[in-house]
Amino acid sequence: MLATPWSRSLGLRVPVVNAPMGGAAGGRLAAAVTAAGGLGMIGMGSAGSVAALERELALAGDTVFGIGLVDWVRQRESGLLDAAIAARPRALSISFGSDFSWVPVVQDAGILAITQVYDVPGAHRAQEAGIDVLVARGCEGGGHGADRLALLPLLDAVLDTATVPVLAAGGIGSGRTLAAVLAAGAAGAWLGTSLAAAEESLLPENARRAMLAADSTHTVVTTAFDETLDLPWPPIYPARVLRNDFTDPWSSPEPDEARPDADLLRTAIAADDATIAPVDAGQGVGLITHIEPAAAIVDRLCRNAATLLRR
Ligand SMILES: Cc1cc2nc3c(=O)[nH]c(=O)nc-3n(C[C@H](O)[C@H](O)[C@H](O)COP(=O)(O)O)c2cc1C
């Protein structure tokens, strides 16, 4: 129905990869995306661990899948990279770092090495390290990433210089946006937000509801949560999240107002209180209107993109 040389080379029926979203993309979502013809990825975010990975791997069963790690979590959690490699994923992505020593280790195990980039120098560095696939991630995307370039100018520049396949990420949530990046020459799309509220996602109930209620102007790029929780995210990688009662005062505090404390935030996260807790989401969030299975989302996007591209 819709294919690129890259998706064909991997034996995928559609050129779609789900972003490895910590707290959303577990084994069930990955299996559903692979069953729909794409490549499902299991995401280990800030809270990633060997135990969490093993739990999600069990849910993925024997489908083909990929795994995505956060670089500082890979370095903190001993055994996590080894456990990911031992699971024999088709692809392993590690993002948000500058140390690419993992690339040959992953490739020696016959696994594709993937990373997200935000500008041309970053793409060059990853290619020099031997990366197999680049993800050009525009700043309209959800979750962590450099707040640098929007997807189309980024994709344009990276495709001009890249010698490896380039997946497009950031704000892709419709047949139109998918058709646009494929027409531009992307090898496929890396979908985060549009699949984060899918039926098979791990996202808790209130975070899902907040996503359904939000329109596309309702996101903000912030370090508020990471600073408050003292997480070692490099400051060049803030997160795009839904605006809420935590982000608004953070961006424009009243004079002398004390910054909210970590306990309040931890309690809100544990209670799935989306008015305070972080809900990662990109500017495509307004396109999510109801909860549906991942296969329905992937099928709709691909069918509509194919129709547009045929025109
Ligand atoms: C809920 C959510 C969680 C995410 N967690 C991760 C993660 O753990 N690791 C990662 O590499 N990227 C993560 N991302 C970012 C995605 O890899 C990707 O850059 C982004 O989702 C693309 O933009 P989009 O959300 O507009 O599709 C996350 C994104 C979302 C929406």
Side-chain angles (χ1 to χ4, degrees), residues 204 206-207 210 222 224-225 229 241-247 264-280:
N206 291 334
T222 184
F225 299 105
L229 295 173
V241 297
L242 293 183
R243 281 180 53 191
N244 64 13
D245 294 345
F246 195 85
T247 61
L264 171 104
L265 182 52
R266 282 197 195 94
T267 307
I269 293 170
D272 180 25
D273 177 358
T275 66
I276 305 238
V279 180
D280 289 2

Side-chain angles (χ1 to χ4, degrees), residues 28-36 191 194-201 208 212 288-301 303:
R28 273 190 74 214
L29 183 66
V33 170
T34 296
L191 305 178
S194 57
L195 288 165
E199 209 170 279
E200 299 88 350
S201 162
R208 244 174 235 267
L212 294 183
I288 308 172
T289 53
H290 56 291
I291 309 277
E292 55 186 340
I297 299 167
V298 171
D299 287 351
R300 185 177 56 252
L301 262 62
R303 220 169 328 103

Side-chain angles (χ1 to χ4, degrees), residues 119-147:
D119 55 21
V120 168
H124 281 153
R125 282 193 297 277
Q127 281 208 154
E128 275 159 20
I131 207 86
D132 294 305
V133 179
L134 292 170
V135 180
R137 190 271 196 190
C139 62
E140 55 275 69
H144 289 85
D147 190 21

Side-chain angles (χ1 to χ4, degrees), residues 17-25 41-47 68-71 93-96 115-116 118 135-145 151 168-173 190-197 201 203 211 233 240 278-285:
V17 178
N18 79 265
M21 299 174 279
M41 300 274 290
I42 296 175
M44 288 287 113
S46 316
L69 307 178
V70 170
D71 193 56
S93 79
I94 301 188
S95 296
F96 318 116
T115 198
Q116 298 183 74
Y118 312 90
V135 180
R137 190 271 196 190
C139 62
E140 55 275 69
H144 289 85
L151 175 58
I172 305 170
W190 174 274
L191 305 178
T193 301
S194 57
L195 288 165
S201 162
L203 211 64
M211 278 196 149
W233 281 97
R240 186 176 287 282
V279 180
D280 289 2
Q283 291 180 340
V285 70

Side-chain angles (χ1 to χ4, degrees), residues 35 90 99 213 252 256 262 265:
R90 188 77 182 77
D99 165 18
S252 45
D256 300 327
L265 182 52

